[in-house]
Amino acid sequence: MSKFDHLRGVPGSANRLAAQVWDGAKVGAPPAEVPEPDEIDVPAELRATIEHHMSLYPDRHSAVLPALSAAQRLHGWLSEEAILQVAMVMRVTPAYLESIATFYDMLELEPVGRHTIYVCTNISCQLRGAREVLDAFAEATGSPINGSSPDGQFRLRAFECLGGCDMAPMASIEGHYRGPLQPGDARAAAAHLRGGGEPGDLLPDRKFVGDYGRRVAAEEETP
Amino acid sequence: MNGRGILFTHIDEPGLQRLEVYERLGGYGGLRKALAEMNQEDVLKELEASGLRGRGGAGFSMGKKASFLPHGGVEKYLCCNADESEPGTFKDRELMHKNPHQLIEGVLIAAFAAGTSHAFIYIRGEYEEEADILDAALSEARAHGYVGDHVLGSGFSCSLVVHRGAGAYICGEETALLDSLEGKRGNPRLKPPFPANQGLYQGPTLINNVETLSNTPHIIVNGADWFRSFGTEKSPGTKVVSVSGNVKRPGNYEVELGIPARDIVYGLAGGPYPGASVKAWFPGGSSAPVLTAEHLDLPYDFESMQQAGSMLGSGAIIVIDETVPIVAVALRLAEFYRHESCGKCVPCREGTNWTVKMLERIDSGEATPMDLDVMASVQENIIGNCLCVLGDSMAMPVGSMIKHFRGEFEEHMKQAARRQADERVGEGAAISISEETGLAVPAKSEVA
Amino acid sequence: MADAGWITFTVDGREVRAPEGEWLVDAVKRGDVEVPFFCYEPKLGPPVGACRMCLVEIEGIPKLQTSCSTPVKDGMVVYTQTDRVRHAQNAVVEFLLVNHPLDCPVCDKGGECPLQDISFGWGPGRSRFHDDKRNFPKPIALSPLVAIDRERCILCYRCVRFSQEVAEDYQLTFLERGDHTFVGTFDGRPYVAPFTGNVIELCPVGALTSTSYRFRARPWDIANSGSVCTLCPSQCNIAFTVRDDRVERVVARDNKAVDDGWLCDKGRFGYQSIAAAERVTQPLVRDGGKLRPATWERALEAAAEGLRKAGAASAAVVGGQTTNEEGYLLQRIFREGLGSPDVDSRDGGRLDPAAARFLSHPDLAASVADIDGAACVLVIETDPMNEAPITDLRLRKAVRRFGSRLVIAASTPTALDAGAVERLAFAPGTAEALLRALQKALLETDEPEGSDGAESRPGEPREDAAPGATPHEHPGTPDGDGGGGGDGGDGEAGIEGQSRLATFLAEHSLERLAEIAEVEAEDLRDAAAHLTAAENVVVLWGERLGHGERGPATLGALGDLALVLGLDAGDGSGLIEVPAGTNARGLREMGCVAGLGPGLADTDPGRCATEARDFGAGGATHAFYLLHSDPIRDLAERERWEQALGAASFVIAHEQFLGESASRHADVVFPAESYAEKEGTVTHPDGRLQRLRPAIGHPGEVRREWQVLADIGNRLGLDLAHHVTAAAVLGEIAERVPLYRGVTPEEIGGRGVRWPERQQSRTAAAEVIGRLAFSAPGEPIGVPRPGDGELRLATARDIWAAPEIEHSPSLEFLRPRQRLLLNPADADRLGIRRGDPVRVASNGTILETEANPREAVKPGTCHLIERTPEQNPNMLMNGGPVLVRVWPAGAKAPDGSRAG
Ligand SMILES: Cc1cc2nc3c(=O)[nH]c(=O)nc-3n(C[C@H](O)[C@H](O)[C@H](O)COP(=O)(O)O)c2cc1C
Ligand code: SF4
Ligand code: FES
């Protein structure tokens, strides 16, 4: 059984952080404080989204994850600029945000491909052929596992249990759960997305196909 | 589904996600009843009397926990734990996906019982579809006066926000969830203080799992006695069990607690593929110590699983058949916990990392038999010494695998070592292989 | 023992008493039991329970518990030595060392390292870990001051908690998670903030080290010598780490009553100036227009001769770092030896002696520790972060941990603004109106509900008022519990003062007063509501309040506010001044303020520094004695000082570094001692006397300065020959200065003693200060509104604008660059963008600097940093707020004249 050594990354980005880890602080640079309003331009829509989220909670800090996610949706990843924009609107230091961004798996700290594909590689999927599916996606998208394709189209990640073990082996493609997958599905999915297809329309939605009590969907799947 | 159910009764009703359909099937009747006919005390009593136990892992009485919250003035909070990240668990996803209003109603009833006016559903970030479904249902519910100020014209007001996580298993741990919801890194907190005393924003906080809360409308509508007519004395009610792994029909099955595990694994999920047999199974998610085929005839409930040395946990059964090397499972499991350890406390952070390193060597043939002992001892050193139970969640199953399958581990090491040595011999290295340990030793000629 | 709240519990079979609820890890120490720990540090806030080192067994609880987070209860039975506990301790140490490089031989921490000690004491003594450890590059910069070695880090949370929960700069954080977690900053920017050095001391391993101390010494080579930092009025307790008679490091000497064990980076790294090559280490005498080295005898004789000639036409300007002993001797030389009363240690004009005494009243004196317990803290016209940095941390702690409400009234933005419940940004120069407006608002807030009886308001009786007190009398009694002294008398002044204030407030509407101060009446009402709701209030006020023409009236208003707030109630309420000079309070009490003799006694008013300057500019002050003072740089109106010192026939300076005044004007320069060489006492703004003790010998020919002063005194005919030690000088102070009556070095000891708490001093204070009374309110005046192209300029101190920064190599990078803070709206109006060079002009003087728009700046005002080595704004200031014209450098000056 193959082992998923590629998973031994953590959230965050080795490259982006390498600078500070290996070269030390840029001692000549100014410290990163809460940016002054005129230092940072924030797209109006992003500002409105963040302010809306801040208004939902008794403490504005609770909006950090929604705010970072919104910035990531806008910029594709949490660039320095994106973090500074959130810092500016939320009145927190960028370090506070980076500390949070690097904690959570779904926040990207380097530029990534346009379409995000998480392939579940945890036990239940592993037992049903996740490795083959993952490899098939790597081949179909041209993206290295846990990297992005050179054409900027795909971001492929080997992910921990996505909570879709009923359709194992499965993947979350742009947020849509799809499974059980065959290696052949990877090529279809990649082609669909490359061709500008709606992610929601991709591959048959095989989940919740019927009444679970009477379901016999996987019967023919002999090993 | 074995005859009677609670949560899944209407689960496949077309359009159930819509308020209109939910209401047609009696939806929000529980909330109406609670607000119109009962007071806070009554609801608390009913929930406590029902014996409903938490479905998120710990199995603590839901009503009792709600009653721990101090009464009166202070701002209190309710958090629904929809972080569902325990490997093998996918029941909350289906409950939210297909019946979002059941959860919303459950949250409001619990909020009423606990006297909280702010409620949050912390849903894992990967469940984007489910979060969207909940948000849509929420705005419908809000528009119909089920959520917000003066719910259904009563004196009870409660806000509800669906808060999306961003990918961290640890945020399912209740205090890490609170930190995450407060906009911090999702690190577990010290307990005490328990959330019921000091939780979100320092206020008393009730935290319950999706499935737990989804049960409350049914209890209020039908009464505690009706609920107790399901399941066993100590584990009343039903449980949605997520069955996955090497079975024919992986899926969610609502069962009464106490039915034999075999009925679930073989009966409902169809058992392993033809020709294969069960080698090991996790009875409650990957954090539960593994059991073997001989445990399949135990009743599936909180007590029996505990007596067998494991736990019901999140109610996720992962079945492993005998074609799968146990070392691969152990390694994958340890990798998961290492990846998900928050890093706050020492035994978990260093113990998971050390265990992965040892398992890698065991898998690749670079380990010595002593490593197995060290590994077992490291698991013991983790258990009970951590800040939260994530460390234990790796140490217990890994420990159980060593216990149940020690022979296989040793054999695996031997063979891997031999394979490796063979490769090196193939590459021309002057070594030979010890029959006894399977380890490479310098070739006789070299020594001479 | 009958003490309530104490309980008995058992640890390892021993019965021990401890206060109920104390963390177990501390409670067991009372039974001489030690539990090892890494992450526990109460100064950082609630325990986090991360390291798991402190596990103990408690009867009745199945799992081992972290003693750092378990409160002790009566009857608890605790074991710290059982097999289970030992097993867990061994396990944790083994885990900790899994990723620790064990490079102790090349580690600065070696020998004073908790990880070493705990591994030795509680570890298994062996490791079974054979795999690769985490790799990080060996020490790299975290900032120019701090190096980080991430391999050594045990992720104990101490440093990041400091950054986030104590300093609240939120710059140092954990990044990534799990076993990949590491300590870092955003985008690799340096960790630069006022208090970063504390993380070095907090780190229990050698992960965070001081770049300036690295590889300088081993713990067994050094001696730590306790003293007090005199670089700002916070007067933190420090220890100099000395190796071979050289200061190599400064560490905190944790005094809860003063500094909580924190230091600012100026205090921690500023020691480097002690060994700076530029230091003056021998006497200099001007000879042929140039300062040249001279013998002590020649310099002393020249100084005595110069002073003798000038006689009563001499004036002394005393700098804030002067000790009580030095100040005391100097004022004797002047008052007794030269017959000149012109001794001062303040800028900004005269200090009203009555106000000075009033504000020093022991009943109104809050201690630093009182801030912790204050329900509300009112900060008036000071920015503690820049003026007394450690006070800033104390206030943050009060807000964060004890829920104090912070009300800030200041004309400049302060670092604490974000934590304030109310922020009153008044126009520079209108503090008097602001204070009156607050009184009015307090009165209004109080009216509807009536008094709670605990606090006195004008026009209302206080419940605890003395029998027979009329409803109008303010019962603030000077003798309080001090015994003796004024007996409350007939209360004539109280009655009169009180009704005067009541009348004044009745005649002025809140709106009118608010308008003068240019703040919203509503904000004042909110502030008043917070103050009224608070059980006890500490008021922190900046010396600036007393500066300028309206200074005396403003201090009067401050005193009235204190009485209106009932700060004399003795319930932890009170005033604390944030002065400009380190030892300002001691110097005032030693008689180094014009018109105030030793012990705040009335004396010949003489001339204050400003008056002496103006007198001198006219050629009438013949000699200036600059004791640790560089007026051209530090005081307002540098041009006037330039003239005065130029016109004087004789100038003496005591200096560590030749400043502008000394290098251009001094005839004799005595080398000043650094604070590591000094012996003597200083007085903390809260009245705490503290001892300075020499840590190293004197470099070059530097002599003890009290001795130099005594020598000069002797030459001028004073009998000071008996002053053979600093303690002898203190002895004379203890005899002749009533407020300090009877103090001895022993009484002061290592932790200091607050005179407002000493019985003898209180008795004396009652005599000198008399009873508290309301002032005679004057008509507060507004300041002119800025016209087109104009802004109001106010200046403020910056923590980094100090000679110690410029002369400490590793702090050099912090030397502030002058910049003009202004509101973004004003910047827009004036056509100025961030970073643009701008010109600021007043009275024909032009200063060029860089624009820095900030939301927090009050519209219509702008700010410059005081006491900078270049672009010093004291060229623009004239003792009060001024209107300046501001325009972008390349553009034409608004009045048509081209800047030059
Ligand atoms: C590491 C860890 C992960 C957890 N993840 C989840 C989770 O994903 N969902 C959940 O409901 N409970 C989870 N729990 C359990 C919660 O801490 C908590 O016990 C539960 O939410 C309480 O709800 P209940 O009483 O309704 O079960 C987790 C616990 C631990 C220690
Ligand atoms: S650097 Fe030092 S203080 Fe900071 S977490 Fe690491 S060991 Fe603790
Ligand atoms: S000191 Fe108690 S866990 Fe670290």
Side-chain angles (χ1 to χ4, degrees), chain B residues 53-62 65 79-86 89 91-92 124 168-177 188 191 206-213 287 313-314 337 340 388-391 393:
Chain B
R53 296 175 65 168
R55 306 295 196 229
F60 195 82
S61 159
M62 188 262 163
K65 192 151 81 174
C79 295
C80 168
N81 190 341
D83 192 57
E84 192 169 62
S85 306
E86 174 80 11
T89 317
K91 63 191 177 70
D92 297 344
R124 65 179 297 189
Y169 166 65
I170 189 62
C171 293
E173 197 283 332
E174 54 186 11
T175 56
L177 181 150
K191 289 190 266 191
L206 177 65
I207 303 167
N208 276 119
N209 171 258
V210 170
E211 187 186 347
T212 317
L213 291 170
S287 305
S314 60
Y337 288 102
E340 299 293 351
C388 80
V389 296
L390 188 138
S393 299

Side-chain angles (χ1 to χ4, degrees), chain A residues 100-150:
Chain A
I100 285 155
T102 56
F103 188 89
Y104 295 94
D105 278 327
M106 293 174 70
L107 299 174
E108 304 276 7
L109 286 139
E110 354 183 83
V112 292
R114 177 128 54 98
H115 304 291
T116 300
I117 300 168
Y118 300 153
V119 178
C120 176
T121 56
N122 209 295
I123 297 179
S124 298
C125 285
Q126 178 196 28
L127 293 169
R128 299 175 78 90
R131 177 84 231 185
E132 289 70 31
V133 171
L134 179 63
D135 289 341
F137 268 107
E139 204 192 302
T141 59
S143 167
I145 294 161
N146 288 335
S148 293
S149 61

Side-chain angles (χ1 to χ4, degrees), chain B residues 235-447:
Chain B
S235 300
T238 62
K239 177 85 195 78
V240 179
V241 184
S242 304
V243 190
S244 66
N246 298 140
V247 288
K248 287 187 201 149
R249 290 189 295 269
N252 284 321
Y253 301 95
E254 183 176 14
V255 303
E256 287 190 54
L257 285 167
I259 68 165
R262 185 178 298 279
D263 287 2
I264 305 172
V265 172
Y266 279 90
L268 295 167
Y273 306 118
S277 61
V278 175
K279 170 176 178 176
W281 57 292
F282 291 92
S286 69
S287 305
V290 293
L291 298 176
T292 54
E294 73 199 57
H295 298 109
L296 280 171
D297 291 313
L298 292 173
Y300 189 70
D301 58 30
F302 286 103
E303 288 70 37
S304 311
M305 291 301 111
Q306 200 165 356
Q307 273 157 27
S310 188
M311 58 190 195
L312 190 77
S314 60
I317 295 178
I318 308 171
V319 178
I320 299 159
D321 72 24
E322 85 276 315
T323 61
V324 181
I326 204 74
V327 174
V329 176
L331 176 56
R332 189 63 198 80
L333 188 104
E335 280 178 342
F336 167 74
Y337 288 102
R338 175 206 196 174
H339 179 77
E340 299 293 351
S341 166
C342 78
K344 182 170 178 178
C345 81
V346 174
C348 170
R349 179 181 75 230
E350 304 297 347
T352 51
N353 147 51
W354 190 359
T355 303
V356 169
K357 285 179 172 158
M358 283 186 288
L359 279 165
E360 279 172 350
R361 283 192 288 109
I362 287 171
D363 193 35
S364 65
E366 284 157 40
T368 65
M370 203 186 73
D371 279 312
L372 215 48
D373 295 327
V374 173
M375 196 166 78
S377 139
V378 165
Q379 308 314 308
E380 272 162 33
N381 284 350
I382 295 172
I383 294 172
N385 289 337
C386 300
L387 179 62
C388 80
V389 296
L390 188 138
D392 298 28
S393 299
M394 177 203 69
M396 292 192 308
V398 169
S400 72
M401 289 182 215
I402 301 174
K403 189 176 107 199
H404 292 303
F405 301 99
R406 192 177 184 103
E408 187 183 334
F409 271 95
E410 283 166 356
E411 193 51 36
H412 190 106
M413 279 157 60
K414 228 187 244 179
Q415 286 189 8
R418 176 177 297 275
R419 228 179 303 122
Q420 208 199 36
D422 283 348
E423 266 168 41
R424 288 173 62 198
V425 170
E427 286 159 11
I431 48 172
S432 63
I433 294 136
S434 154
E435 276 312 316
E436 202 184 324
T437 60
L439 289 179
V441 294
K444 291 269 151 46
S445 57
E446 288 257 307
V447 179

